[in-house]
């Protein structure tokens, strides 16, 4: 009975957080963190952790609690043009994003490490895949949902489609295309949670994509990062 009550309470909290997020058009990042935190200790999160542990490289990162140093955009800006570090710094500055803005959590369990690692590297996934922020968020969520079954990604994906169907059906084509594109990429590419991005800041975006088997990044679509930042002269 207690377990059922906990699950019901978690569902209600997530419903409120999802509603707040969708009302803000995806800009209320606190709601995203709330949803992630609500899944702490859940069966869904335990299954997700087991999936990550089944990937040898990811398991090694988890067991060592590797998060890497805080990201220094100024230092990354000094790297050669076309590298992951230089491109990431350029994009983050253009968007006005702080790479270390995410909500902190004490790492006591494997799931805490997983959540913190995903929070830290979220914008890197946008860059490597080409999905834009806000407008292309569902693409990134779809990758997390397919590759490791990350609970909050699944919830947000389903909720966004359902909300569009009910209130803005004209947006369904764009939303479902993002989801389909992200899922297709997720199946084809290597697991992103297993990557030590910090060891390859000086490697080019093209080389990273080749190594990860990202053969069809999002470039010219309306939900792409390039479309969000059309004035940046980058090797997308």
């Amino acid at each position: 009975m207690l377990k059922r009550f906990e699950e019901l309470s978690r569902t209600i909290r997530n419903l409120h957080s999802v509603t707040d997020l969708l009302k803000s058009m995806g800009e209320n990042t606190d709601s995203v963190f709330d949803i992630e935190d609500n899944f702490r200790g859940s069966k869904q999160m335990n299954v997700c952790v087991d999936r990550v542990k089944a990937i040898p490289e990811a398991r090694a990162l988890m067991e060592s609690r590797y998060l890497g140093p805080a990201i220094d955009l100024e230092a990354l800006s000094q790297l050669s043009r076309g590298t992951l570090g230089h491109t990431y710094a350029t994009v983050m500055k253009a968007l006005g994003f702080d790479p270390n803005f995410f909500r902190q959590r004490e790492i006591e369990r494997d799931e805490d490490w997983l959540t913190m690692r995903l929070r830290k590297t979220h914008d890197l996934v946008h860059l490597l895949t080409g999905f834009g922020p806000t407008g292309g968020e569902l693409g990134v969520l779809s990758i997390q949902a397919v590759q490791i079954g990350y609970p909050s990604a699944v919830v947000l994906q389903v909720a966004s489609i359902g909300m569009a169907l009910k209130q803005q059906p004209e947006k369904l084509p764009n939303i479902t295309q993002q989801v389909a594109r992200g899922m297709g990429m997720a199946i084809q590419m290597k697991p992103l949670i297993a990557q030590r991005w910090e060891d390859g800041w000086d490697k080019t975006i093209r080389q990273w994509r080749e190594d990860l088997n990202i053969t069809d990044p999002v470039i010219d679509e309306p939900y792409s990062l390039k479309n969000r930042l059309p004035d940046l002269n980058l090797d997308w």
Side-chain angles (χ1 to χ4, degrees):
M1 180 65 71
L2 179 59
K3 196 68 175 178
R4 290 183 179 179
F5 178 75
E6 289 176 352
E7 286 299 320
L8 178 59
S9 297
R10 180 177 288 113
T11 300
I12 293 173
R13 291 195 303 271
N14 280 336
L15 180 60
H16 285 304
S17 297
V18 168
T19 301
D20 290 342
L21 179 65
L22 294 178
K23 284 181 178 178
S24 72
M25 302 299 289
E27 294 183 359
N28 184 4
T29 53
D30 279 339
S31 295
V32 176
F33 298 143
D34 289 341
I35 295 168
E36 289 181 320
D37 291 343
N38 284 339
F39 274 111
R40 190 173 190 267
S42 67
K43 177 181 178 180
Q44 293 83 0
M45 197 64 194
N46 289 337
V47 171
C48 176
V49 167
D50 286 342
R51 288 181 64 177
V52 173
K53 286 182 175 179
I55 307 168
E57 298 86 354
R59 183 179 188 126
L61 292 178
M62 178 181 285
E63 291 178 346
S64 68
R65 297 293 191 254
Y66 176 81
L67 289 176
I71 297 175
D72 184 344
L73 294 184
E74 295 307 319
L76 294 179
S77 296
Q78 304 306 311
L79 295 174
S80 300
R81 178 183 173 84
T83 60
L84 175 64
H86 182 273
T87 307
Y88 176 79
T90 301
V91 167
M92 293 294 280
K93 288 180 178 181
L95 291 170
F97 287 1
D98 176 0
N100 303 301
F101 86 99
F102 48 86
R103 182 184 294 175
Q104 298 295 316
R105 181 195 289 186
E106 196 71 26
I107 299 180
E108 300 174 352
R109 298 182 275 191
D110 290 339
E111 65 177 283
D112 298 326
W113 172 84
L114 176 57
T115 295
M116 288 302 295
R117 184 61 176 165
L118 289 175
R119 287 178 180 177
K120 180 180 180 182
T121 60
H122 181 82
D123 291 318
L124 279 167
V125 176
H126 275 286
L127 179 59
L128 267 300
T129 60
F131 286 106
T134 61
E137 202 64 51
L138 278 176
V140 171
L141 294 176
S142 296
I143 292 170
Q144 294 177 344
V146 170
Q147 289 202 328
I148 60 173
Y150 193 53
S152 64
V154 176
V155 165
L156 290 171
Q157 185 183 59
V158 173
S160 297
I161 294 174
M163 187 69 72
L165 178 64
K166 181 179 180 181
Q167 297 187 357
Q168 296 177 304
E170 69 279 2
K171 291 188 176 182
L172 267 178
N174 180 283
I175 288 175
T176 53
Q177 286 171 21
Q178 286 184 54
V179 171
R181 187 71 174 276
M183 286 184 166
M185 293 173 72
I187 292 171
Q188 180 179 346
M189 73 174 70
K190 293 181 181 178
L192 300 186
I193 189 59
Q195 308 307 314
R196 287 179 62 113
W197 310 106
E198 297 84 354
D199 291 347
W201 285 124
D202 58 349
K203 191 161 65 174
T204 66
I205 293 282
R206 290 191 177 189
Q207 187 61 56
W208 264 110
R209 286 175 174 165
E210 181 178 335
D211 293 346
L212 294 170
N213 201 32
I214 301 177
T215 59
D216 188 26
V218 177
I219 304 296
D220 296 315
E221 291 77 1
Y223 46 83
S224 71
L225 186 58
K226 178 183 177 182
N227 187 62
R228 174 71 182 274
L229 298 169
D231 295 330
L232 283 189
N233 183 23
L234 294 175
D235 184 10
W236 297 104

